Amino acid sequence: MVKKRDYLNILVVVLIAILAINILTSSFAGKELSKKLDAKIEASKPVEISIIKITVDCPDCFNVDSIVSNLKSLNVNVTEEKVININEFEAKELASRYKIDKLPVVMIRGDINKIQLKGYENFNDTLVFRDIKAPYYDLKDEQVKGLVKVTIIKPKDCDKCTDLEIIKTQLENVGVKINDYKILQENEEETNNIIGKYGIDKLPTMLVSKDLAVYDIAKAWLNVGTIADDGNYLLTRMQPPYYDLKEKKIKGLVNLNIIYDEGCLECQDKILQENALKSIGI
């Protein structure tokens, strides 16, 4: 039979065990909390990086200053910022080591494993920005790519023909850099040469230089035209009205006769018929 004193001894042992477990648990939880706090403190510290910008003499090329500004807006401490021209030995060595084929470019060094950035390729010790938009300098071909020439040829007498300058504006709106823009009229010497070379049979039309190929919009060009043998882009599917060079007449001008009853006050307004046709491009 267990005596009362034995019960007390057992109770003391149990209480001591529980107390020991609580102490161990509290100690472990405290260490875990401390680790989490340390991790948060460490994460809140600015990431130390250095920035290298390799430039090229190209005023129209992609401006990487906005990329650098975006970097500086993050939780970083820029310890060094260096700008070097591709003609310098260091720039050529870096371009070769990191397989850089487009300029200008931004490179990041430092605690790069602590930051996550889109558009960069990781080379263990260096992040290289790869998402360079046109125009850019192609190191392999040693020339600027993405400077586009646009030529519009208009018919001589067709005030109501489609205005292709709208398409030129749309190209610019999606980032195409047009550095040469020309409008020619029918029967000019240069115009006749272009019409003969590309077999053009409708005016107005648009000729875009092959430099368009480096832009994403070039992939959709076949929806509105063709790519010539020399790589230039020709608009062939224009919205009427247009001038047919073979038949020598304007096509797409429509005559509209509306028959209505003045006495029908509940009838649809006759002007709606004309507006409906205009709204679908007629």
Side-chain angles (χ1 to χ4, degrees), residues 14-82:
V14 172
L15 289 174
I16 291 173
I18 293 173
L19 180 60
I21 292 171
N22 286 338
I23 291 172
L24 288 172
T25 303
S26 299
S27 177
F28 179 77
K31 288 180 180 179
E32 287 299 308
L33 180 60
S34 179
K35 287 181 180 179
K36 290 180 179 179
L37 287 173
D38 290 342
K40 286 186 177 180
I41 291 171
E42 185 64 25
S44 66
K45 291 180 180 179
V47 178
E48 292 195 349
I49 62 170
S50 62
I51 298 173
I52 301 173
K53 185 166 67 172
I54 302 178
T55 62
V56 65
D57 298 327
C58 177
D60 293 314
C61 283
F62 180 74
N63 190 349
V64 294
D65 288 343
S66 59
I67 306 300
V68 174
S69 296
N70 183 56
L71 282 172
K72 291 180 178 179
S73 68
L74 303 176
N75 186 28
V76 298
N77 178 26
V78 180
T79 58
E80 182 184 14
E81 184 174 350
K82 184 187 293 187

Side-chain angles (χ1 to χ4, degrees), residues 4-249:
K4 184 176 181 182
R5 179 176 294 178
D6 293 333
Y7 276 121
L8 291 174
N9 290 335
I10 294 170
L11 181 60
V12 169
V13 171
V14 172
L15 289 174
I16 291 173
I18 293 173
L19 180 60
I21 292 171
N22 286 338
I23 291 172
L24 288 172
T25 303
S26 299
S27 177
F28 179 77
K31 288 180 180 179
E32 287 299 308
L33 180 60
S34 179
K35 287 181 180 179
K36 290 180 179 179
L37 287 173
D38 290 342
K40 286 186 177 180
I41 291 171
E42 185 64 25
S44 66
K45 291 180 180 179
V47 178
E48 292 195 349
I49 62 170
S50 62
I51 298 173
I52 301 173
K53 185 166 67 172
I54 302 178
T55 62
V56 65
D57 298 327
C58 177
D60 293 314
C61 283
F62 180 74
N63 190 349
V64 294
D65 288 343
S66 59
I67 306 300
V68 174
S69 296
N70 183 56
L71 282 172
K72 291 180 178 179
S73 68
L74 303 176
N75 186 28
V76 298
N77 178 26
V78 180
T79 58
E80 182 184 14
E81 184 174 350
K82 184 187 293 187
V83 180
I84 50 179
N85 190 278
I86 190 58
N87 294 322
E88 299 178 41
F89 176 79
E90 182 184 1
K92 291 180 179 179
E93 193 275 330
L94 288 172
S96 175
R97 187 195 309 174
Y98 296 105
K99 298 179 176 58
I100 295 170
D101 55 2
K102 299 176 183 178
L103 294 178
V105 72
V106 173
M107 306 169 67
I108 307 172
R109 287 176 171 171
D111 296 332
I112 59 174
N113 294 324
K114 295 181 180 180
I115 52 177
Q116 293 183 344
L117 299 169
K118 290 184 178 180
Y120 288 80
E121 183 176 356
N122 194 326
F123 281 90
N124 295 323
D125 64 334
T126 303
L127 291 177
V128 179
F129 186 72
R130 294 296 191 190
D131 195 19
I132 304 294
K133 306 295 184 184
Y136 56 79
Y137 183 81
D138 189 299
L139 275 172
K140 182 180 179 181
D141 294 340
E142 297 185 342
Q143 66 178 9
V144 177
K145 292 190 176 180
L147 297 179
V148 176
K149 178 181 179 180
V150 173
T151 302
I152 292 177
I153 303 176
K154 291 185 174 183
K156 191 174 182 180
D157 297 308
C158 185
D159 295 336
K160 293 186 177 181
C161 281
T162 301
D163 183 7
L164 297 187
E165 292 184 54
I166 296 174
I167 298 180
K168 180 250 184 184
T169 301
Q170 290 174 339
L171 288 174
E172 291 176 320
N173 288 341
V174 295
V176 176
K177 178 66 176 181
I178 298 175
N179 73 324
D180 190 338
Y181 178 52
K182 187 184 298 184
I183 297 178
L184 302 176
Q185 294 289 333
E186 181 189 3
N187 294 330
E188 295 179 5
E189 182 178 354
E190 185 178 357
T191 303
N192 292 335
N193 292 335
I194 295 174
I195 289 174
K197 179 179 179 179
Y198 295 100
I200 296 169
D201 57 5
K202 298 171 188 164
L203 294 180
T205 191
M206 174 184 286
L207 185 67
V208 182
S209 66
K210 59 185 178 182
D211 303 274
L212 185 69
V214 298
Y215 294 93
D216 291 338
I217 189 66
K219 300 173 185 176
W221 188 266
L222 292 179
N223 294 323
V224 295
T226 59
I227 302 175
D229 293 338
D230 60 4
N232 290 330
Y233 294 77
L234 182 67
L235 183 70
T236 57
R237 300 178 185 176
M238 67 284 295
Q239 179 77 15
Y242 58 80
Y243 182 75
D244 190 302
L245 287 168
K246 291 182 179 179
E247 298 185 26
K248 298 190 181 302
K249 69 177 184 179

